[in-house]
Amino acid sequence: MATEASSETEVKENTEESSAQPDQSEKATQETQEVLNTEGEDKEKGKVKEKEGKEGKGISRYLPTWLKKQKSLSQTSPTKETPPTEEPTSKETEGEEVSAPEVNGHAEEAEEKEEVKSEPVKEKEEESNSNGSADTEPAKEEKVEESVQTTPEEKKETTKEDQVAEEKKEQEQETQAEADVQEGDGQISIFQSPLRLVRKPKMKVVVCRVTLLDGTNFSCEVEKRAKGQYLFFKVCEHLNLLEKDYFGLTYKDTHDEKCWLDPMKEIKRQIRSNNWQFSFNVKFYPPDPSLLTEDITRYLLCLQLRDDVASGRLPCSFVTHALLGSYTLQAEFGDYEPDQPRPLDFISQQTFAPNQNKEMEEKILELHKSHKGMTPAQADIQFLENAKKLSMYGVDLHRAKDSEGVDIMLGVCANGLLVYKDRLRINRFAWPKILKISYKRNNFYIKIRPGETEQFESTVGFKLQNHRSAKRLWKVCVENHSFFRLNTPEPPTKARFLTLGSKFRYSGRTQAQTRLASSLIDRPAPSFERTSSKRISRSLDGAPVISITEAGRDTTENGHDPHLELQSDSKDHDKTQEEVLKHQASISQLKRSFMEAPPPSPPQPSQWEKRLTSSPASTIRVQQQQVSLEEEIASVLLSRHAGAPCSTPELTLEAAVTTCSAATSQPLEPLLLSTPPTFSSTEVCVPQTEATPADSAVSDTKEPEKTTEVEIEETVVIQEVSKAGLVTVTSSSPADPPAEQEVRADEDEVVAEDAKQKKQESVSSESESEEEAEYHPNVTTSISNTQIPEEKEEVEEVEEVEPEVLAAEAPSLPAEVSQPTEETPQEEEEPSKETEEVKNEPEGKSGDPETEESTEDPMLTPDETPKSFVPEEEEQQEPKVNGEASAVDAEPRPHGICCSELPVVKTEMVTISDTFAAQKTEIATKEVPIVHTETKTITYEAAQLDGSADGEPGVLMTAQTITSESLCTTTTTHITKTLKGGLSETRIEKRIVITGDCDIDHDQALAQAIKEAKEQHPDMSVTRVVVHKETELAEEED
Amino acid sequence: MAGLMAGFGHYTHAIVRGIPASLATEALRTSQAEVDLDKARGEHDAYVQVLRTRLGLEVVELPADEALPDCVFVEDAAVVCGDTALITRPGAESRRGETEAMKEALKDLKMNIVEITDENATLDGGDVLFTGREFFVGLSKRTNQRGAEILADAFKDYAVSTVPVLEGLHLKSFCSMGGPGLIVIGSSDHAQKALKIMQQMSDHRYDKLTVPDDLAANCIYMNLPNKGHVLLHCTTEEFPESVKVFEKLKDHMLIPVSNLEKVKLDGALTCCSVLINKKKPDN
């Protein structure tokens, strides 16, 4: 988020300084994002990147993460070593850019704009403080004016704060720090806005202690203002770990709760204490560890799991304890040798289980004997093969209460959200079933996709212990969803390849990405010593740290066997579609397919469901219908409702910036300019909004009542979006597929998910922002604002909205649209302009519904009235998130029948829908605040079409959805068997989401998909083909 | 590999119990049909013969107890998975005594015995569906939440999800496993509803085999050496339509087993045996 914030700030600055140079600002923002990923690189390359802009990103995509990481590390490391020299250079070169990345902290603050509204000055100050160099600019237009006044104060405060912090933490470096601060001030003066302080205070160094998985400690020096990413890289470097995306650093917050260190944010701002103590842990447990490329990665995973098992976090039976323990013994000590007493000693010293006893130890030894000849790596693999089957493997539990106050546990895992009461699983929400994730205060909400028999989505609410835990849960959900469900961060996020953080949004690569990256690993298997960690007081070489040194038995084993195919593919960065498809196919086999609860089988109102659902969802349902449609279409929208209005604008700005950078230049400029106005408008509105906004925020999901009651601070709408394009092939044999709608929904979901990633990142950052957000009553307003930012982050996501829906929903859209419009249109600073812009957009695009929306938008924008439109809000949010969608070009679509194409350029929403689609309720909506993206939806239908319109689906006999994900492609196969009047129909809907760079020929991909579908089901006919394409203009240019 | 969840359907032993004379008159039932004791015994003998002779299981036959009219339905007295046996606490008070003999028999088989000591917990084995990857526990008249929790504690490796049983005596009164990942389910509304819940609650995907008759959905699946997939199911005499469905399972050795009399006491095929796998999987 910080990145976003930074971008915004930059943008603002640019606007302030020179509104005429919007492009630069955009570029800068992009750069900043990149910078965030690899601060070091960015700094050095700085301006160059700015110019290169998109190109650089594109290239960066292909670069293996570790490459970049190394660069970043190298760069960063030098800075540490010789801080003084580098810093000045970096400052100059990087200038604004540098500030942006640093700003991460700001973004959060920005989110909390509410405060800003009330106390703009304070916010600025805070921001400045956080950044050190204070990129106060985020204050934006509103603030800008104020900023002039406040700036001096802020500076003072910041310096003071910095000094204080420094003193506290490290008196040693105080002098340097101060010097830095001074320098920063000087720079400020040099630069246009004082607010922006270049982080020169880097000089300060803090010693971080990281507890590794083997129990050893790793210490390293880090600049006081370093981001989490830096430390994480250092640790990974120390561990010689390349597949690092599964891991993360944790720290204990002031309440002694374990939190994940956000790589994109400054460490200092996260720990909030002077306890620079961290722990290296597995963050995402790979569902299939055998797909990991390197043994060292598996070894680390084993270490984590051993601890999980021994501590009882991962419960397992006696037999399993013994089995896992025996593999541990084999891995650490090799074959059982009765003569050697060591294993016995070891075994009693070692903790294998929380309730370890003699019987278990004997059992372990007994099983150990049976592993003779097994290499350590093999033993690890066996360990993991068994551990992964445990029901609680990779499940992150959070205490909560249901709507009736019953104690439950919420478990977040790769597949979704699990609900436990005591040890019993009482409900489960697979990611595809979840439309939105949000939290407000200590409430955590998920909006559930309606089941086959249900018309409306429902929202399930849980109470967490406090706001912090709600936010923590929310973040974990966002991260897990994006990691496991999304293929790739959307194009804007290209930075993904940069290690930890892909740039903004979701600071990490998805599993798909990390797998691809892993397949590219080309190094001899690193040898590492399997020290049985400290646990064993082994008389080996004393310090058991997992040194990169060569120790091991494993060396031979460490080959990267698994992904030969992948490697070949991956090597060719310019993959042809065919390659990609093949690749996907091969990958799809490898990758586990998510089992989704068949859409038709939504959770039946069972006892607990009733309980759970009783919350807001049920009541609101009726109202939600419209929304539901939209949502289904847009299914995945991660919208975050942030508290402070002020913050939201910033976010939006950021988002806009990002999109702009990614996409076309024209809209961008206007956007930048416009943004400031928006902010002002938003700010003004804030008070009002706050009052009403809550409703709007909630509105998406639920009943107004609840909405009002519960303000959603952050909402994540899960959208899976295909950056490149969606190719949906629906083949139905005998009968019509009733499921078309569902399918579309699925698509939407997919899109939404993708969006989520982006959003997630953004959200996460936002969420992190501050607890204060909780207090903000303005949630609603904030929501709109926040949503926008999120959208921006997500940028490229495309939502499909049916024309009908659009019309109906139009009112709702406006709010969201307004922001986007602002961006796209060239309007400057004036809210009215924004509205105008909005109007303009629709015209260009030709969508009637769009126009309607646009009209509404203007109204809404200023007041944030959109909130009132419950359904709309979500839609709006989604679209916004999708940002990408906004610009839709009616570029020539390959295939013959275009039911409807609504090219939208620059416009927020572009929807191309078939008449059928309309009937079906399918909606292709693209709302993009920023024009960066083109969205096209083309539907080809066979004449037969009963279409979904037929309405009577008959009796659904079976429905299953199979999703396979590869790096670039997500294939969702939805098979529905329906009984209609004695005839059974089998309908197979395949949704193929191709996420990729321009290299992919979508037309070819479509043709290929259709061909494959025909081949696979020769007895069936293709009745409907829907092509939904979202493209970032910028990318295309590449 | 002695891995988790290996060898679903592998059984070496079966525990059954004789039919007491009191069955005909005193056994619990939800219907009023007259039970012919001799026919019931004949059926049961045939059932045991299939297990012992046809399938080659080592059958432990516990003697009937006149004081326990329902004792033939041994499934409710214990849940066995792997090396662990959970001795239940049947929901019907009159049946609590059935667990004693079962416990002894399982001890003799060297199983790890877990008992329910919580007086608030009730659990009938008939409400426990083990799919090979996880447990589903029906919350019914005979089984409560606490009982399910204790089961979850006993089998920590597995996810244990609860499923409300709105109609029918037990969860397995309308469903059972027909193979690895294959759930046989009745076509009644409540059965379908339960299936959907199970599907939603699971991280795994299950195929389903829908049979017209709920009671026919209770069958016994085994995977036996030299025999492969074996399915004991209802007879054509009882449920002709459902049998047609079973006959579509080409990979299974299908063995119709008559259950005309015991069904009058809500006894299904799975009710009459506790299946155990004593052979250690290859390691």
Side-chain angles (χ1 to χ4, degrees):
Chain A
M1 311 319 292
T3 54
E4 293 176 352
S6 64
S7 64
E8 290 178 353
T9 56
E10 291 180 358
V11 174
K12 293 177 180 178
E13 291 177 354
N14 292 337
T15 57
E16 294 175 358
E17 294 176 358
S18 60
S19 61
Q21 297 174 347
D23 294 349
Q24 293 178 350
S25 64
E26 293 177 355
K27 292 179 180 178
T29 56
Q30 293 176 349
E31 293 177 356
T32 55
Q33 294 174 350
E34 293 178 355
V35 172
L36 295 175
N37 295 335
T38 57
E39 296 177 356
E41 292 180 358
D42 292 346
K43 292 177 180 178
E44 294 178 356
K45 295 178 181 178
K47 295 176 180 177
V48 177
K49 288 184 177 178
E50 292 179 354
K51 294 179 179 178
E52 292 176 355
K54 297 173 182 178
E55 294 178 356
K57 291 180 179 178
I59 296 172
S60 65
R61 299 177 188 170
Y62 299 102
L63 294 179
T65 315
W66 53 91
L67 290 177
K68 292 184 176 179
K69 291 178 181 177
Q70 292 177 352
K71 291 180 180 178
S72 63
L73 291 175
S74 63
Q75 294 176 350
T76 53
S77 61
T79 49
K80 293 178 179 178
E81 295 176 356
T82 58
T85 56
E86 289 182 352
E87 290 179 355
T89 56
S90 64
K91 292 177 181 177
E92 294 176 357
T93 56
E94 293 176 356
E96 297 176 353
E97 294 178 355
V98 174
S99 64
E102 293 177 353
V103 180
N104 297 340
H106 294 296
E108 296 176 355
E109 293 178 354
E111 295 176 354
E112 300 171 352
K113 292 178 179 178
E114 293 176 354
E115 294 178 354
V116 176
K117 294 176 180 178
S118 61
E119 299 173 354
V121 175
K122 290 181 179 178
E123 291 181 354
K124 292 179 180 178
E125 294 175 356
E126 292 178 354
E127 291 177 353
S128 63
N129 293 335
S130 63
N131 292 338
S133 60
D135 301 339
T136 359
E137 295 175 357
K140 303 171 182 178
E141 297 175 356
E142 296 176 353
K143 294 178 180 179
V144 172
E145 295 175 357
E146 294 176 355
S147 65
V148 176
Q149 298 173 350
T150 55
T151 39
E153 294 178 355
E154 292 180 354
K155 292 178 181 177
K156 294 177 181 177
E157 291 179 353
T158 56
T159 56
K160 291 178 181 178
E161 291 179 355
D162 294 347
Q163 292 176 352
V164 174
E166 292 174 356
E167 292 176 357
K168 292 178 181 177
K169 294 180 179 177
E170 298 176 357
Q171 295 176 348
E172 297 176 354
Q173 298 174 346
E174 289 179 355
T175 56
Q176 292 178 350
E178 291 177 356
D180 293 344
V181 174
Q182 293 175 354
E183 290 179 358
D185 294 348
Q187 289 180 350
I188 295 171
S189 62
I190 295 171
F191 288 87
Q192 311 160 346
S193 63
L195 295 178
R196 233 194 229 179
L197 299 178
V198 179
R199 46 154 121 161
K200 293 183 178 179
K202 294 178 182 176
M203 297 302 292
K204 306 173 186 177
V205 176
V206 178
V207 176
C208 297
R209 298 185 197 287
V210 181
T211 302
L212 303 177
L213 288 169
D214 63 357
T216 59
N217 279 305
F218 168 72
S219 299
C220 78
E221 289 186 345
V222 170
E223 290 176 11
K224 205 167 184 181
R225 300 193 182 286
K227 292 179 188 167
Q229 178 174 62
Y230 177 83
L231 177 60
F232 181 71
F233 286 162
K234 294 297 284 183
V235 174
C236 292
E237 188 180 54
H238 171 73
L239 293 171
N240 199 18
L241 172 66
L242 294 186
E243 295 176 285
K244 59 187 83 159
D245 300 286
Y246 300 96
F247 301 86
L249 293 176
T250 60
Y251 65 94
K252 293 279 185 69
D253 67 10
T254 52
H255 301 268
D256 206 36
E257 306 257 24
K258 196 182 84 170
C259 301
W260 290 105
L261 188 67
D262 187 332
M264 304 309 291
K265 296 170 67 176
E266 288 182 19
I267 298 170
K268 188 184 71 174
R269 289 191 54 77
Q270 298 182 63
I271 58 177
R272 294 189 180 178
S273 65
N274 282 326
N275 184 16
W276 292 70
Q277 177 75 44
F278 307 91
S279 169
F280 180 80
N281 290 107
V282 173
K283 187 171 188 181
F284 303 111
Y285 289 75
D288 190 351
S290 66
L291 293 182
L292 295 174
T293 295
E294 295 200 302
D295 285 337
I296 191 171
T297 314
R298 270 188 288 272
Y299 170 64
L300 293 173
L301 178 58
C302 277
L303 290 177
Q304 174 73 65
L305 286 166
R306 288 178 196 170
D307 186 57
D308 290 344
V309 169
S311 67
R313 281 193 301 274
L314 179 57
C316 53
S317 65
F318 175 89
V319 175
T320 303
H321 273 305
L323 184 63
L324 295 178
S326 68
Y327 287 124
T328 298
L329 276 189
Q330 182 70 23
E332 296 291 346
F333 292 98
D335 292 347
Y336 174 82
E337 296 181 28
D339 299 342
Q340 283 188 352
R342 192 172 63 187
L344 285 173
D345 297 342
F346 168 77
I347 207 175
S348 50
Q349 292 176 21
Q350 181 106 4
T351 302
F352 293 100
N355 50 351
Q356 185 170 331
N357 54 27
K358 201 67 188 172
E359 184 188 5
M360 181 177 291
E361 291 171 5
E362 289 173 358
K363 183 73 175 174
I364 290 172
L365 282 180
E366 177 189 334
L367 290 171
H368 181 204
K369 295 174 189 172
S370 64
H371 302 325
K372 199 159 192 175
M374 199 177 281
T375 66
Q378 287 172 336
D380 281 349
I381 289 173
Q382 290 307 322
F383 179 97
L384 295 174
E385 284 304 299
N386 284 282
K388 78 175 186 187
K389 294 177 184 169
L390 295 169
S391 74
M392 298 304 287
Y393 172 84
V395 177
D396 185 17
L397 288 177
H398 298 256
R399 291 186 188 285
K401 291 179 188 295
D402 66 11
S403 59
E404 294 182 350
V406 177
D407 286 326
I408 57 169
M409 298 286 275
L410 295 175
V412 184
C413 67
N415 292 326
L417 186 65
L418 303 168
V419 185
Y420 295 91
K421 183 176 185 305
D422 295 315
R423 303 188 67 89
L424 298 175
R425 184 184 293 182
I426 58 173
N427 212 338
R428 172 178 176 271
F429 303 99
W431 291 127
K433 289 281 290 179
I434 299 177
L435 291 170
K436 190 164 74 175
I437 307 168
S438 59
Y439 79 90
K440 180 175 183 178
R441 298 200 188 115
N442 64 332
N443 296 294
F444 175 79
Y445 300 98
I446 55 176
K447 181 192 267 183
I448 308 301
R449 181 182 307 285
E452 57 176 354
T453 59
E454 300 172 344
Q455 290 188 337
F456 313 107
E457 66 271 7
S458 56
T459 298
V460 181
F462 304 95
K463 278 207 180 307
L464 278 290
Q465 291 173 319
N466 51 47
H467 168 73
R468 276 178 292 108
S469 48
K471 185 165 78 174
R472 191 163 53 239
L473 171 60
W474 176 83
K475 287 171 66 175
V476 169
C477 283
V478 169
E479 290 177 330
N480 272 271
H481 173 269
S482 46
F483 184 80
F484 289 111
R485 287 291 297 175
L486 299 184
N487 279 339
T488 331
E490 295 178 354
T493 324
K494 298 175 181 178
R496 49 182 161 177
F497 286 92
L498 301 184
T499 352
L500 283 181
S502 16
K503 315 181 168 180
F504 17 84
R505 294 73 201 259
Y506 161 66
S507 62
R509 293 188 293 199
T510 65
Q511 179 173 240
Q513 291 173 326
T514 196
R515 283 178 178 171
L516 175 59
S518 298
S519 68
L520 293 171
I521 291 178
D522 183 19
R523 68 171 179 181
S527 50
F528 56 93
E529 182 177 1
R530 284 169 201 278
T531 57
S532 355
S533 60
K534 313 170 178 180
R535 312 166 184 166
I536 309 170
S537 54
R538 223 166 144 194
S539 63
L540 286 182
D541 297 342
V545 180
I546 303 176
S547 51
I548 306 171
T549 58
E550 320 161 348
R553 320 163 172 175
D554 307 354
T555 327
T556 50
E557 303 169 356
N558 288 337
H560 14 224
D561 17 14
H563 310 281
L564 295 180
E565 297 178 355
L566 296 180
Q567 289 181 353
S568 61
D569 290 346
S570 57
K571 289 178 181 177
D572 306 343
H573 297 294
D574 325 67
K575 308 167 185 174
T576 62
Q577 287 184 345
E578 293 181 356
E579 288 179 320
V580 173
L581 292 175
K582 292 177 182 176
H583 180 70
Q584 295 173 352
S586 63
I587 295 174
S588 62
Q589 294 177 352
L590 296 177
K591 302 187 171 169
R592 51 120 196 242
S593 55
F594 293 87
M595 198 197 125
E596 301 176 353
S601 63
Q604 297 299 329
S606 51
Q607 300 173 349
W608 52 83
E609 279 191 357
K610 292 177 181 175
R611 227 188 264 153
L612 297 177
T613 323
S614 61
S615 57
S618 59
T619 45
I620 305 169
R621 286 187 178 179
V622 175
Q623 296 176 347
Q624 293 175 346
Q625 287 182 346
Q626 296 175 348
V627 176
S628 64
L629 294 178
E630 295 175 354
E631 288 180 357
E632 289 181 355
I633 296 171
S635 57
V636 180
L637 290 181
L638 300 181
S639 63
R640 157 193 168 191
H641 307 281
C646 295
S647 61
T648 43
E650 291 180 356
L651 295 177
T652 51
L653 291 177
E654 292 178 354
V657 173
T658 55
T659 50
C660 293
S661 61
T664 57
S665 60
Q666 294 177 347
L668 298 177
E669 295 177 352
L671 291 175
L672 296 174
L673 297 176
S674 63
T675 46
T678 10
F679 290 104
S680 61
S681 64
T682 54
E683 291 177 354
V684 174
C685 300
V686 174
Q688 298 174 349
T689 332
E690 291 178 353
T692 54
D695 294 347
S696 62
V698 177
S699 62
D700 293 347
T701 10
K702 337 351 203 203
E703 301 173 357
E705 295 177 356
K706 289 183 177 179
T707 345
T708 52
E709 293 178 357
V710 178
E711 294 178 356
I712 302 171
E713 293 176 352
E714 296 178 359
T715 301
V716 177
V717 178
I718 301 173
Q719 294 179 345
E720 295 179 355
V721 179
S722 65
K723 298 174 180 178
L726 295 176
V727 179
T728 305
V729 178
T730 305
S731 60
S732 60
S733 53
D736 290 352
E740 289 181 354
Q741 294 177 349
E742 294 179 354
V743 173
R744 288 185 176 180
D746 295 351
E747 292 177 352
D748 293 338
E749 292 178 353
V750 175
V751 174
E753 290 180 354
D754 292 344
K756 278 185 176 180
Q757 291 179 339
K758 296 178 180 179
K759 290 181 177 179
Q760 289 176 346
E761 292 176 354
S762 63
V763 174
S764 63
S765 62
E766 292 175 356
S767 62
E768 291 176 356
S769 57
E770 291 178 357
E771 297 174 358
E772 295 173 356
E774 298 178 354
Y775 303 109
H776 300 295
N778 298 338
V779 176
T780 52
T781 35
S782 63
I783 293 171
S784 62
N785 295 333
T786 50
Q787 291 176 350
I788 297 171
E790 291 178 355
E791 291 178 356
K792 292 178 180 178
E793 294 174 353
E794 295 175 352
V795 178
E796 299 163 356
E797 298 172 355
V798 178
E799 296 177 355
E800 296 179 354
V801 177
E802 295 179 358
E804 296 177 353
V805 176
L806 293 175
E809 296 172 352
S812 59
L813 294 175
E816 294 178 354
V817 173
S818 64
Q819 294 176 348
T821 49
E822 292 175 357
E823 295 175 352
T824 45
Q826 300 172 343
E827 298 175 358
E828 298 175 354
E829 296 181 354
E830 295 178 359
S832 62
K833 289 180 179 179
E834 293 178 352
T835 57
E836 294 176 356
E837 291 177 354
V838 173
K839 293 177 180 179
N840 294 339
E841 292 177 352
E843 293 176 356
K845 295 180 180 178
S846 77
D848 293 345
E850 294 176 353
T851 54
E852 293 178 356
E853 294 177 354
S854 65
T855 55
E856 293 176 355
D857 295 350
M859 309 263 310
L860 296 176
T861 15
D863 297 355
E864 297 178 352
T865 48
K867 294 178 180 178
S868 62
F869 305 89
V870 175
E872 295 176 355
E873 289 179 355
E874 291 179 354
E875 294 178 355
Q876 293 176 348
Q877 294 175 351
E878 294 178 355
K880 291 178 179 179
V881 175
N882 292 339
E884 308 166 346
S886 61
V888 175
D889 292 347
E891 291 181 359
R893 267 293 136 189
H895 300 282
I897 304 170
C898 299
C899 296
S900 62
E901 290 183 3
L902 300 178
V904 177
V905 177
K906 299 177 181 178
T907 333
E908 297 170 351
M909 297 179 59
V910 174
T911 301
I912 300 170
S913 59
D914 298 355
T915 54
F916 295 99
Q919 295 175 354
K920 295 175 181 178
T921 358
E922 297 176 353
I923 299 169
T925 304
K926 299 175 181 179
E927 294 178 354
V928 179
I930 300 168
V931 181
H932 304 292
T933 311
E934 284 185 1
T935 303
K936 296 179 181 179
T937 301
I938 305 173
T939 304
Y940 312 86
E941 295 197 19
Q944 332 170 342
L945 286 186
D946 316 353
S948 45
D950 284 5
E952 295 180 355
V955 179
L956 180 68
M957 301 304 291
T958 309
Q960 57 180 188
T961 302
I962 305 168
T963 305
S964 60
E965 300 183 26
S966 64
L967 297 176
C968 306
T969 308
T970 301
T971 303
T972 304
T973 306
H974 189 75
I975 304 174
T976 318
K977 294 184 180 177
T978 311
L979 264 186
K980 269 190 186 176
L983 295 178
S984 75
E985 297 177 357
T986 300
R987 182 180 188 76
I988 300 176
E989 295 180 348
K990 287 199 174 189
R991 178 173 305 104
I992 304 168
V993 179
I994 303 171
T995 306
D997 308 327
C998 348
D999 346 350
I1000 300 174
D1001 178 342
H1002 298 284
D1003 296 345
Q1004 275 189 24
L1006 175 61
Q1008 181 70 23
I1010 296 173
K1011 182 183 173 188
E1012 287 182 359
K1014 286 180 178 175
E1015 290 177 354
Q1016 291 178 5
H1017 309 282
D1019 54 337
M1020 302 179 80
S1021 58
V1022 177
T1023 57
R1024 180 185 179 83
V1025 178
V1026 179
V1027 180
H1028 187 73
K1029 181 178 182 180
E1030 293 182 0
T1031 314
E1032 285 185 349
L1033 296 177
E1035 290 181 354
E1036 289 181 354
E1037 294 176 0
D1038 294 351
Chain B
M1 317 261 345
L4 287 174
M5 315 178 188
F8 176 65
H10 291 183
Y11 299 115
T12 57
H13 292 63
I15 298 177
V16 298
R17 196 163 189 180
I19 295 182
S22 55
L23 174 87
T25 54
E26 298 176 33
L28 302 173
R29 68 202 74 195
T30 55
S31 68
Q32 301 301 323
E34 291 242 342
V35 177
D36 184 317
L37 184 63
D38 290 337
K39 282 187 180 174
R41 282 179 167 157
E43 269 177 13
H44 191 60
D45 287 345
Y47 177 91
V48 173
Q49 278 310 306
V50 167
L51 296 180
R52 177 179 287 147
T53 307
R54 182 119 185 230
L55 301 179
L57 299 183
E58 192 165 320
V59 177
V60 176
E61 194 158 6
L62 304 177
D65 186 337
E66 288 301 329
L68 301 169
D70 292 296
C71 67
V72 66
F73 304 122
V74 290
E75 175 188 48
D76 292 324
V79 177
V80 177
C81 180
D83 293 337
T84 302
L86 173 65
I87 309 302
T88 65
R89 188 168 181 276
E93 210 165 335
S94 65
R95 300 191 59 188
R96 302 261 161 84
E98 295 176 24
T99 58
E100 276 307 315
M102 177 59 66
K103 183 169 70 178
E104 294 310 314
L106 290 168
K107 273 184 182 170
D108 292 343
L109 291 172
K110 310 288 187 199
M111 304 298 290
N112 301 317
I113 305 294
V114 179
E115 293 184 79
I116 298 180
T117 55
D118 190 328
E119 303 258 321
N120 296 318
T122 62
L123 178 69
D124 272 17
D127 278 317
V128 179
L129 178 66
F130 179 64
T131 69
R133 297 301 304 270
E134 63 191 316
F135 284 96
F136 292 105
V137 178
L139 298 180
S140 66
K141 301 181 184 75
R142 301 282 179 84
T143 299
N144 63 19
Q145 179 98 6
R146 184 70 191 124
E149 288 170 13
I150 291 170
L151 180 130
D153 262 332
F155 304 102
K156 289 192 177 71
D157 291 347
Y158 300 97
V160 178
S161 305
T162 54
V163 181
V165 176
L166 305 175
E167 293 181 41
L169 181 62
H170 286 135
L171 175 63
K172 281 196 281 190
S173 296
F174 51 77
C175 70
S176 64
M177 295 305 292
L182 175 64
I183 295 177
V184 182
I185 187 77
S187 54
S188 69
D189 283 348
H190 64 272
Q192 292 294 319
K193 215 172 261 183
L195 176 67
K196 283 183 179 175
I197 290 172
M198 290 191 281
Q199 288 174 328
Q200 184 205 334
M201 301 274 268
S202 176
D203 294 324
H204 310 290
R205 191 178 341 151
Y206 295 103
D207 295 326
K208 69 170 180 180
L209 182 69
T210 304
V211 295
D213 309 287
D214 275 7
L215 287 173
N218 182 292
C219 52
I220 299 175
Y221 167 79
M222 295 185 219
N223 185 354
L224 300 177
N226 305 322
K227 295 188 177 60
H229 302 291
V230 176
L231 195 67
L232 278 61
H233 61 82
C234 60
T235 61
T236 306
E237 190 182 357
E238 299 165 88
F239 304 108
E241 293 305 317
S242 293
V243 169
K244 288 178 185 171
V245 175
F246 284 120
E247 285 170 350
K248 291 176 182 170
L249 295 172
K250 298 304 181 190
D251 294 338
H252 288 57
M253 174 193 284
L254 299 174
I255 304 177
V257 178
S258 175
N259 195 39
L260 276 173
E261 291 303 316
K262 286 182 284 190
V263 77
K264 295 174 182 173
L265 301 167
D266 307 301
L269 290 179
T270 60
C271 296
C272 301
S273 61
V274 170
L275 301 175
I276 297 161
N277 182 23
K278 274 302 290 178
K279 282 181 186 170
K280 305 262 169 120
D282 311 342
N283 212 359

